[in-house]
Each structure stands twice: as C-alpha cells, then as structure tokens.
Amino acid sequence: LNVIDWNDVGTAMIQDAIWAQTDKLKEKAYADQTTKFIKASIKGWAYARDNPEEAAKIGTAAMGALTYESGEQTTTTDHQGKNPPAVDEAALPDLPALIAAAERYASGQDAEDGALDLLFRVGSSPGGARPKALLLDKGIHYLAKLPNRNDPVDMVRVEAASLELARRTGLAVPDFRVAELDNSAALLVRRFDIPEQGWATGGRYHFMSLATLLGAEGYYDLGYQDIGDVLRQVSDDPKTDLETLFKMAVFNAVLGN
C-alpha cells in the first residue's frame, strides 16, 4: 500500500479520488460496476455534506478509509454522559453495556443515551446481519462480534470454532479470540482494513462489501457463481481469488454454513 500525502507534494486540497483500470473500462460489466460505485460514492458524500453532525458521529475509526470529524473538541473521557466519547472505538469494559444497549434497541426498548450514542459510534459502520462493534484492546484494532438475543445456541463460540477449523484447512484467517464477559462472550476478529503497523503509519484500506458489489437486495438472491463473476471484473489477481473462493465454498458446504 502506497500512501500519498498531498501535503508532502505541495498540492494539498479538499478532495477525494476514485481510481479505475483504464484498459478494463472497455469491458461493459466493469464500466457498469465503476459507474455504480461512483454514483454510490457521490450519494454518500452528499449525505455527509448535508448532515455534518450525523457524519461526525461516525468518527475516525469507522470501517474503511473514510473518516468524519466535527470542528468541535470533545472533553469527556468516559462513555457515561450524553456527549460523545473522545475515542471512536470501544474498550473491553464497554462490551457488556453495548450488548445490553443493542438488545434493548433490537427489542424496541429505550437505551441510556450514553450507551446508545457509543453503540452508534462504534457499531454503525461494520454492517452485516449480526451486532458488531469496533474495539481497541492493547493497541490492536478488532471487530467485536456480539451475541444476539435470538441466538438458539452460543453463536460466538460456534463462529470461533468455525474460524479455527478454517485455519486448520489452510484458509487464510485473521487473528481472533473469544473475550469472556460477565454473563456472555464476544468474538474479537482483527480488523482487515488496517495494516499490522496500524493506520498512523500504514494508512487504512478502502473496501466494499460483496453485497454492494453485487447490488444484492437480500441475503439469498445470489450465489457463488455471481461472486465469481464480479471477482473476474474487479480483482487484480482473479486466478488466485477464484481458487480461494472455491475453497471457501467447499468449506462452507462441509460446515453447513
């Protein structure tokens, strides 16, 4: 990853850039996907422009490389008050309160302002079907996958066991561990959008979910063939990525995922 700081080259400006492969733009599928990406990006930028207070709550630690900040400095250092915390990631002691806030919110009950605000800041950017939170522990940035009140079994440990099985089959798996809490547990998975040296020196990776790339409207509308088709369009190493996709598909089939 090469990070270019415009301030270092004398051309600092307020801007963002989207890069595409010129030769692949001749392919209709790639050109269509690039157009969709640009339209979605503009829509997101326009929303952030028109709703600066909401955008600023996303903070500097959201998933991906985009950050939002307000010009005001926060003074509180805890998560109990109504003001947003000075950091944009949770800590291990915050997780029980976050789990409780997520459960109350999911069941339509009111949550305490401080807990709800923290939940929005650290839990809104990861997305996905299960509740998650961004967490910093001992200098390592994690994606914390939280239990769901409707889980029929202990899905935190089931997913941890699945990751360990995947690792033993030779699939690339991020570092992970189970954090034991008071009356539950959370699965901590090392964030894939941050280099090992941290974003202060290594920057952060832009990324897009497969659901976005595929334009999927629901969870079960598309399949592995559709994923393979989009990988051929956007991957800089489609052979390797398609082989990895096949291995993952076989593993998921055996696992019953």
Side-chain angles (χ1 to χ4, degrees):
L1 175 66
N2 295 318
V3 179
I4 301 173
D5 187 338
W6 298 118
N7 295 283
D8 294 339
V9 294
T11 58
M13 64 186 77
I14 300 176
Q15 67 97 49
D16 206 336
I18 296 175
W19 304 88
Q21 294 176 262
T22 304
D23 56 336
K24 295 194 70 173
L25 284 172
K26 298 174 183 177
E27 302 174 13
K28 185 179 185 304
Y30 183 84
D32 290 345
Q33 195 67 59
T34 302
T35 301
K36 291 178 182 178
F37 181 83
I38 293 172
K39 288 181 177 179
S41 298
I42 293 173
K43 184 177 180 181
W45 293 333
Y47 185 88
R49 176 201 64 199
D50 298 336
N51 301 272
E53 292 184 359
E54 290 186 35
K57 286 185 177 181
I58 297 175
T60 60
M63 294 290 290
L66 297 180
T67 63
Y68 299 90
E69 295 179 271
S70 68
E72 300 178 358
Q73 296 292 325
T74 57
T75 56
T76 180
T77 56
D78 59 46
H79 303 150
Q80 303 305 317
K82 295 184 179 181
N83 294 322
V87 296
D88 297 312
E89 291 172 284
L92 272 179
D94 297 316
L95 289 185
L98 284 172
I99 293 171
E103 290 181 348
R104 292 181 66 84
Y105 182 80
S107 62
Q109 303 178 54
D110 292 332
E112 295 181 3
D113 287 343
L116 191 60
D117 185 74
L118 179 62
L119 180 65
F120 180 85
R121 291 173 66 88
V122 304
S124 60
S125 74
R130 299 189 58 78
K132 303 179 185 69
L134 304 178
L135 181 137
L136 179 64
D137 183 53
K138 298 178 181 178
I140 299 177
H141 303 274
Y142 290 101
L143 181 63
K145 307 189 80 171
L146 310 178
N148 188 309
R149 61 194 299 269
N150 296 319
D151 287 341
V153 295
D154 187 349
M155 291 303 298
V156 167
R157 290 180 174 81
V158 167
E159 186 165 352
S162 300
L163 285 172
E164 181 58 32
L165 287 172
R167 189 200 305 279
R168 296 186 185 190
T169 66
L171 288 170
V173 174
D175 292 337
F176 69 92
R177 64 186 176 91
V178 173
E180 301 291 344
L181 307 175
D182 294 337
N183 298 310
S184 61
L187 176 63
L188 307 187
V189 181
R190 190 161 187 160
R191 284 176 58 173
F192 53 82
D193 60 323
I194 301 177
E196 287 192 8
Q197 65 267 41
W199 71 54
T201 55
R204 301 227 307 264
Y205 300 130
H206 284 281
F207 78 92
M208 180 184 289
S209 70
L210 277 171
T212 301
L213 276 173
L214 293 168
E217 297 294 335
Y219 289 114
Y220 305 108
D221 296 336
L222 303 169
Y224 285 112
Q225 181 177 337
D226 301 289
I227 298 174
D229 290 341
V230 79
L231 280 179
R232 292 187 185 93
Q233 299 170 27
V234 302
S235 174
D236 64 348
D237 188 3
K239 182 178 183 297
T240 299
D241 287 340
L242 287 171
E243 289 177 354
T244 301
L245 174 65
F246 179 76
K247 293 175 182 178
M248 290 179 173
V250 172
F251 177 79
N252 280 332
V254 172
L255 198 66
N257 182 14

